[in-house]
Amino acid sequence: NMEDNYPEWMFKADLSLFKGAEVCSPCMRDERKNWMDLLNVCEIIKRNATIGNRSGGHIHVGAQIFDGIPDYLIRFIKLWSVYENVIFRFAYGEYLSGRMSIREYASPCSLTLWDNYEIMSSMGKIDLDDILNLVTSTKRSQAVNFKNVRDIANLSDHNTVEFRCPNGTMNAIVWQNNVNFFVKLLKCSKSIQYDDDILMRRRSINKDIYSDLKMYDEIFLEQALELADMVFSNNIDKVYFLHQYLKQFDISNDCKKKVRSL
């Protein structure tokens, strides 16, 4: 029984679904117990429900990950803008394309965020309030949502960056891959692996694809390898990322054997 064994997990109504509900986890840390709880909850849901063709798999990460430094937020916005096409295909999980409602509830935002990046870059002195006003003025229903960001220095309830582009899934490994990737994508903005020269070159190469969601279904292998090298510091993470990006893995019914520690 889910309510008895996992009382912190909640079922909520979701008006974007014609039928069904949203399942919400409690705030989770990178601990084996949390990953096992996720696996077990997925198994319970699998026995009682299916993933609809409009289902999303939203992930919230605390905005304190930016350490209160505006430059890190600006870097992340640039990083997302340049690699959004790769991120979308990866976030489709075991599916080859986005859910049917993705344009409505998690629209691509590379062009919008790049415009924001250029505005912020043109500022003489970087003022955090101005930056937050700019990023929180964007749509809630875009692929990465900043509407909840109030502070980038301190942990507080509901102060999160929300990733809305992942498809819904009941595969615990896909969930773990997604969480691992999005957290490390945010951390990349303050890492020595972040490379501005590579980003500017890639933006120039790919500038014509960011308004075409169909292109996001395509494989951009060189770009995906480039992003993996920038985001991940170990090969195991790169392999899991690339397997999900390329869709070259089998979804096992025995997920328990595959749950790994990050």
Side-chain angles (χ1 to χ4, degrees), residues 219-232:
I219 292 173
F220 295 82
L221 183 56
E222 182 181 350
Q223 189 182 0
L225 290 168
E226 190 177 275
L227 178 60
D229 284 339
M230 204 179 300
V231 170
F232 300 116

Side-chain angles (χ1 to χ4, degrees), residues 6-175:
Y6 304 98
E8 294 182 325
W9 290 69
M10 294 186 298
F11 281 95
K12 295 168 59 178
D14 188 331
L15 297 178
S16 69
L17 301 175
F18 294 133
K19 211 170 146 185
E22 177 182 9
V23 180
C24 300
S25 77
C27 181
M28 298 172 69
R29 296 182 181 275
D30 181 16
E31 298 169 357
R32 182 172 179 79
K33 179 189 180 301
N34 287 327
W35 297 123
M36 293 307 298
D37 286 350
L38 171 64
L39 171 63
N40 292 332
V41 168
C42 285
E43 291 300 314
I44 291 169
I45 297 170
K46 256 191 231 180
R47 294 194 293 268
N48 296 280
T50 59
I51 290 290
N53 57 14
R54 296 172 63 87
S55 298
H58 300 177
I59 293 169
H60 291 257
V61 181
Q64 78 279 357
I65 201 167
F66 293 116
D67 297 335
I69 298 175
D71 273 338
Y72 293 159
L73 176 55
I74 295 172
R75 280 179 162 198
F76 171 73
I77 287 169
K78 185 175 185 180
L79 193 61
W80 184 280
S81 298
V82 172
Y83 290 101
E84 184 179 68
N85 58 310
V86 172
I87 294 167
F88 262 61
R89 182 180 167 88
F90 166 80
Y92 295 157
E94 63 265 56
Y95 304 101
L96 293 174
S97 61
R99 60 198 180 276
M100 64 184 299
S101 58
I102 196 166
R103 288 182 185 275
E104 185 178 358
Y105 293 106
S107 60
C109 54
S110 172
L111 298 176
T112 298
L113 294 187
W114 185 261
D115 287 344
N116 287 352
Y117 162 72
E118 291 190 323
I119 292 169
M120 289 184 282
S121 297
S122 68
M123 294 177 179
K125 181 182 175 184
I126 297 175
D127 185 282
L128 179 57
D129 287 337
D130 288 341
I131 291 172
L132 288 179
N133 286 337
L134 188 60
V135 297
T136 57
S137 69
T138 54
K139 294 192 303 179
R140 183 178 298 277
S141 59
Q142 64 184 25
V144 55
N145 168 34
F146 297 97
K147 284 285 191 186
N148 300 322
V149 177
R150 296 292 176 266
D151 179 4
I152 61 171
N154 301 299
L155 176 64
S156 60
D157 289 346
H158 309 300
N159 176 39
T160 63
V161 179
E162 180 190 19
F163 298 100
R164 299 175 59 88
C165 56
N167 283 334
T169 181
M170 286 186 283
N171 185 282
I173 300 304
V174 173
W175 273 109

